Amino acid sequence: MTNLNLDTTQSTDQMIASVMPTLLNAIKEKAFVDGYKATDAEALGLVVSKFTQWDAGSILAVTSEALEDANFDDLAQQVDMLKR
């Protein structure tokens, strides 16, 4: 059993850095076939798709927000166009 302890006094960057590697490693061990070396991107994609209940519009919204957060505003706008 893996426990995730979240220290809400940390910055969001610190919380993400302390929780995400553990979460993604657990997902990679549990969700993919034995012997397959899933990437962090694959595991995070699985988390996003399941969390959004496989709704394409919601998945695109998460993608757009991630791009905007990374200052790829033009790409975020292109993804937003796909939602229409």
Side-chain angles (χ1 to χ4, degrees):
M1 177 184 225
T2 301
N3 291 314
L4 296 174
N5 295 316
L6 186 62
D7 180 356
T8 58
T9 64
Q10 294 178 319
S11 70
T12 54
D13 288 348
Q14 291 170 321
M15 285 190 285
I16 290 166
S18 67
V19 171
M20 290 305 291
T22 302
L23 174 63
L24 295 179
N25 285 334
I27 296 296
K28 288 188 274 188
E29 288 177 17
K30 184 83 172 169
F32 295 91
V33 297
D34 287 338
Y36 181 72
K37 297 291 184 193
T39 64
D40 287 346
E42 288 173 308
L44 186 56
L46 186 142
V47 170
V48 169
S49 68
K50 289 182 180 288
F51 187 78
T52 59
Q53 298 180 344
W54 304 279
D55 177 72
S58 296
I59 294 167
L60 288 170
V62 170
T63 303
S64 174
E65 292 299 329
L67 288 167
E68 188 174 317
D69 184 65
N71 295 318
F72 292 105
D73 297 336
D74 291 343
L75 283 173
Q77 288 177 352
Q78 291 176 33
V79 170
D80 286 339
M81 297 292 280
L82 295 172
K83 295 189 298 187
R84 297 180 184 160

